Amino acid sequence: MRFVVGHKNPDTDSIVSSIVLAYFLDCYPAKLGKINPETEFVLRKFGVMEPETIESAKNKEIILVDHSERSQSLDDLDEGKLIAIIDHHKVGLTTSEPIIYYAKPVGSTATVIAELYFKKALDLIGGKNKELTPDLAGLLLSAILSDTVLFKSPTTTELDKEMAKKLAEIAGVKDIESLGLEILKAKSVVSKMEPEEIIKMDFKDFNFNGKKVGIGQVEIIDISEIEDKKKRIKELLEEKLKSEGYDLILFMITDIMKEGSEILVIGNKEMFEKAFNVKLENNSIFLPGVMSRKKQVVPPLERAYQ
Amino acid sequence: MRFVVGHKNPDTDSIVSSIVLAYFLDCYPAKLGKINPETEFVLRKFGVMEPETIESAKNKEIILVDHSERSQSLDDLDEGKLIAIIDHHKVGLTTSEPIIYYAKPVGSTATVIAELYFKKALDLIGGKNKELTPDLAGLLLSAILSDTVLFKSPTTTELDKEMAKKLAEIAGVKDIESLGLEILKAKSVVSKMEPEEIIKMDFKDFNFNGKKVGIGQVEIIDISEIEDKKKRIKELLEEKLKSEGYDLILFMITDIMKEGSEILVIGNKEMFEKAFNVKLENNSIFLPGVMSRKKQVVPPLERAYQ
């Protein structure tokens, strides 16, 4: 059996990419954990079922979407047969056999899939050029809006905007902006969530030069949504750092309206200061303009660890 | 300035892929060392100039073709800006920023480029869908024939054959088989070469779990071409092992007509025996059916080193 699967702590782009790519490749979508409230909203809005959860790669053919880091993937990835990777992140793994690899530096994996569809080029990666249904077009559009934070993230490219427009036509979405705000609002449900859940919602592990580093992110529209929970979040992250052997944990509280992130820094403070060339007063700092973990946080940090 | 560059010890696929992709991407082809007699024959046959040699990535934008191993690439790759990788090998590196990555498990990089051309999909990787000229079609065809050893290598796919046929039409090549034999003959010039040159012709370095491993290959049509040079080749490889810190060196003498390879094993013999589940009598063994370094030698060896 062949499965398309996104990363742990799945976000909307991971879930949507696995659903839509599985449709074109005639195989099964899968996920590695519970979907978040934003994804739940998107799936309900367009009337699509969530993928099944899988826990092992054993006896499976695996296609990875929206990640290429082993630490973010199935724990026993090597027990399965890796067929392909479709992604928009940096190259995060090596393989022992040739596979299909297709990645582009654009705002979302949904953008990559949408472009293949509109170019009738899905057969390049082993898919069929079938018709994209309005519900699946709505999912891809939502994933683009989510991953690019309504085109405000610095990872946004012209291709993301172009694909969003074309997808909106198929999906029958007249006002992209207002769909985007609906999605952001659904994402920004942290005021109703427990600190434990907030941390887990979008947390990714990295391996930088042998050191374990965790980077979490939460997007908010208004700082008041999270202000009274920050103390507890810090405590939980300090526990996590110790019990799970992290060298450093960063937690990005990204303010969509202010277009910047407050970074909570737990653990190897010096490495963070070196990477961002800043001096920490306490354990946190607001970095204006920083909204993308992938593009603005991971690269300087990885360089600092070298 | 932007350059498309293949691997060290360039073979025909590396040189041809850099020339043709540079044409579609409107940038410069480059190479990392002297071309071999086969490539020289192919370039002369279709009247195309060889690419310039570059030695550093500094101040350059780099597109890698036909490899993704750092050990086979520019020594100072990280000093340049890596833009894209177009390949048909296993994923051999990780990056610190997102790039364009497009690879498929087919017989040659030329096949990957030809498919993008015939699908009018070169814009997916930042190229222009211009017309493929007969001379460049002849080069791509030659690279497919060379890398798949006239479709006899187990890496050969249906796509390689399909692309070869379409390219032959554009190139005005009526008899693919006889072009293939001409190329193999040009490749098989070992009888006129010194052992020193034979070793260097197609030698690749790998890093398996921290150990340096070298795998060379020479293709012959008749064993008599190389028989009297084997002793000297072994001596030279033993010196190379010691002076350059290899854990293991394999040298594949691939007999195209017999469809198998004699493997000279220098260094960590036990690891070779473990990888291929064989017992060595002396320092060499003939493995029937083994013709591909990439598909039949690297994977079991990499697993053995884990």
Side-chain angles (χ1 to χ4, degrees):
Chain A
M1 298 245 283
R2 186 172 287 195
F3 291 87
V4 183
V5 67
H7 55 73
K8 286 178 181 171
N9 290 316
D11 61 3
T12 299
D13 194 28
S14 260
I15 296 292
V16 161
S17 295
S18 77
I19 292 171
V20 179
L21 198 60
Y23 165 75
F24 285 119
L25 300 186
D26 271 340
C27 62
Y28 299 95
K31 65 181 192 301
L32 296 185
K34 267 178 66 177
I35 61 173
N36 68 32
E38 180 199 274
T39 309
E40 202 181 328
F41 165 82
V42 167
L43 291 178
R44 192 172 305 140
K45 176 150 189 106
F46 292 99
V48 177
M49 266 177 52
E50 62 179 88
E52 66 174 300
T53 302
I54 58 171
E55 271 159 17
S56 166
K58 214 170 274 179
N59 301 321
K60 295 186 183 80
E61 294 184 332
I62 300 289
I63 292 150
L64 301 183
V65 284
D66 198 35
H67 72 296
S68 68
E69 303 277 336
R70 283 177 189 278
S71 56
Q72 291 162 16
S73 203
L74 284 148
D75 291 328
D76 65 350
L77 185 61
D78 289 330
E79 300 288 314
K81 186 169 171 47
L82 183 61
I83 301 279
I85 298 176
I86 312 298
D87 194 18
H88 73 125
H89 298 87
K90 70 197 189 72
V91 184
L93 55 65
T94 61
T95 65
S96 52
E97 308 215 21
I99 62 166
I100 294 174
Y101 202 124
Y102 182 49
K104 286 183 81 154
V106 293
S108 71
T109 303
T111 307
V112 175
I113 296 170
E115 191 189 23
L116 286 173
Y117 170 71
F118 288 115
K119 293 248 173 252
K120 298 194 192 313
L122 275 149
D123 48 344
L124 286 177
I125 58 160
K128 287 184 185 151
N129 293 314
K130 349 185 218 186
E131 194 136 350
L132 186 67
T133 53
D135 53 346
L136 297 186
L139 292 190
L140 287 174
L141 171 60
S142 303
I144 295 175
L145 293 171
S146 161
D147 247 35
T148 65
V149 196
L150 238 174
F151 309 128
K152 282 183 184 173
S153 161
T155 60
T156 308
T157 64
E158 279 310 306
L159 189 66
D160 301 309
K161 295 178 192 168
E162 190 192 323
M163 292 299 112
K165 241 182 247 166
K166 288 185 163 188
L167 290 165
E169 270 175 41
I170 298 175
V173 170
K174 295 216 173 64
D175 187 346
I176 294 179
E177 176 88 11
S178 82
L179 172 63
L181 285 173
E182 270 189 273
I183 292 170
L184 293 186
K185 233 179 273 168
K187 187 179 218 162
S188 208
V189 289
V190 289
S191 50
K192 285 172 243 140
M193 286 168 75
E194 295 300 321
E196 285 79 359
E197 293 175 87
I198 293 173
I199 290 171
K200 281 190 199 149
M201 205 162 60
D202 181 9
F203 194 93
K204 288 183 182 176
D205 284 347
F206 297 87
N207 181 322
F208 294 147
N209 207 4
K211 301 283 187 184
K212 190 175 173 188
V213 174
I215 310 178
Q217 184 172 25
V218 64
E219 275 142 354
I220 55 168
I221 291 179
D222 191 290
I223 190 70
S224 68
E225 296 177 56
I226 201 163
E227 198 56 50
D228 57 333
K229 287 167 185 156
K230 267 160 52 180
K231 192 164 160 277
R232 180 70 189 132
I233 287 176
K234 272 188 203 168
E235 287 168 8
L236 288 167
L237 291 176
E238 270 155 19
E239 284 168 28
K240 190 177 172 72
L241 181 94
K242 280 175 208 151
S243 66
E244 299 176 29
Y246 287 93
D247 184 60
L248 171 66
I249 291 181
L250 301 182
F251 195 75
M252 304 171 61
I253 300 171
T254 300
D255 192 319
I256 292 162
M257 294 306 157
K258 267 167 83 182
E259 301 198 14
S261 297
E262 181 181 356
I263 319 275
L264 311 185
V265 183
I266 318 291
N268 193 339
K269 237 169 109 165
E270 293 71 30
M271 194 59 81
F272 176 85
E273 293 181 328
K274 183 181 158 199
F276 294 92
N277 198 19
V278 293
K279 203 79 201 150
L280 287 175
E281 301 277 320
N282 359 61
N283 284 317
S284 76
I285 188 167
F286 185 84
L287 299 179
V290 171
M291 301 185 75
S292 164
R293 169 171 46 199
K294 179 162 74 86
K295 203 152 180 166
Q296 297 171 294
V297 177
V298 168
L301 207 56
E302 181 161 37
R303 279 193 295 272
Y305 269 98
Q306 245 137 39
Chain B
M1 297 246 282
R2 187 173 286 195
F3 291 88
V4 183
V5 68
H7 54 74
K8 287 180 180 169
N9 290 315
D11 60 4
T12 300
D13 194 27
S14 261
I15 296 292
V16 160
S17 295
S18 76
I19 292 172
V20 179
L21 198 60
Y23 165 75
F24 285 119
L25 300 186
D26 271 341
C27 61
Y28 300 95
K31 65 181 190 303
L32 296 185
K34 267 179 66 177
I35 61 172
N36 67 32
E38 181 200 274
T39 309
E40 202 180 329
F41 165 81
V42 167
L43 291 178
R44 190 171 307 140
K45 176 151 190 108
F46 293 100
V48 178
M49 265 176 51
E50 62 179 87
E52 66 174 300
T53 301
I54 59 172
E55 269 159 19
S56 165
K58 215 169 273 178
N59 300 321
K60 296 187 182 80
E61 294 184 331
I62 300 287
I63 292 150
L64 301 182
V65 284
D66 199 34
H67 72 296
S68 67
E69 303 276 338
R70 283 176 189 279
S71 56
Q72 291 163 15
S73 202
L74 284 148
D75 291 328
D76 64 350
L77 185 61
D78 289 331
E79 300 288 313
K81 185 166 169 52
L82 182 60
I83 300 279
I85 298 176
I86 312 297
D87 193 19
H88 73 125
H89 297 86
K90 70 197 189 74
V91 184
L93 57 65
T94 60
T95 64
S96 52
E97 308 216 21
I99 61 167
I100 294 174
Y101 202 123
Y102 182 50
K104 286 182 80 154
V106 293
S108 72
T109 303
T111 307
V112 175
I113 296 170
E115 190 189 25
L116 285 173
Y117 170 72
F118 288 115
K119 294 247 173 254
K120 299 192 191 313
L122 275 149
D123 49 343
L124 285 177
I125 57 160
K128 288 185 184 147
N129 293 314
K130 354 186 215 187
E131 194 136 352
L132 187 67
T133 54
D135 55 346
L136 297 186
L139 292 191
L140 287 175
L141 171 60
S142 302
I144 295 176
L145 293 171
S146 162
D147 247 36
T148 64
V149 195
L150 237 174
F151 310 129
K152 280 184 184 172
S153 161
T155 59
T156 309
T157 64
E158 281 310 306
L159 189 66
D160 300 310
K161 295 179 191 168
E162 190 193 324
M163 293 298 112
K165 240 182 247 166
K166 287 185 163 187
L167 290 165
E169 271 175 40
I170 298 176
V173 170
K174 294 214 173 65
D175 187 345
I176 294 179
E177 177 87 13
S178 81
L179 171 64
L181 285 173
E182 269 189 275
I183 292 170
L184 293 186
K185 234 179 274 169
K187 186 178 219 162
S188 208
V189 289
V190 290
S191 50
K192 287 172 242 137
M193 287 168 73
E194 296 299 321
E196 285 79 358
E197 296 174 86
I198 293 174
I199 289 172
K200 280 189 199 149
M201 205 163 59
D202 180 8
F203 194 92
K204 288 184 181 172
D205 283 347
F206 297 87
N207 180 322
F208 295 147
N209 206 5
K211 302 282 188 184
K212 189 174 173 190
V213 175
I215 310 178
Q217 184 172 25
V218 64
E219 274 143 353
I220 55 168
I221 291 179
D222 191 290
I223 190 69
S224 68
E225 295 177 58
I226 201 163
E227 198 57 50
D228 57 333
K229 287 167 187 157
K230 266 161 52 178
K231 191 164 159 279
R232 180 70 188 132
I233 287 176
K234 270 188 205 170
E235 287 168 9
L236 287 167
L237 292 176
E238 269 156 21
E239 283 168 28
K240 189 176 174 70
L241 181 95
K242 279 176 207 151
S243 65
E244 299 176 29
Y246 286 94
D247 184 60
L248 171 66
I249 290 181
L250 302 183
F251 195 76
M252 303 170 62
I253 301 170
T254 301
D255 191 320
I256 291 162
M257 294 306 156
K258 266 168 85 184
E259 301 198 13
S261 298
E262 180 180 355
I263 319 276
L264 311 185
V265 182
I266 319 291
N268 193 340
K269 235 169 112 164
E270 293 70 31
M271 194 59 82
F272 176 85
E273 293 182 326
K274 184 180 157 199
F276 294 92
N277 196 21
V278 292
K279 203 79 201 151
L280 286 175
E281 301 277 320
N282 359 62
N283 284 316
S284 76
I285 187 167
F286 185 84
L287 298 179
V290 171
M291 301 186 74
S292 164
R293 169 171 46 200
K294 180 161 73 84
K295 203 154 182 166
Q296 297 172 294
V297 177
V298 168
L301 207 56
E302 182 162 37
R303 277 193 296 272
Y305 269 96
Q306 247 136 39

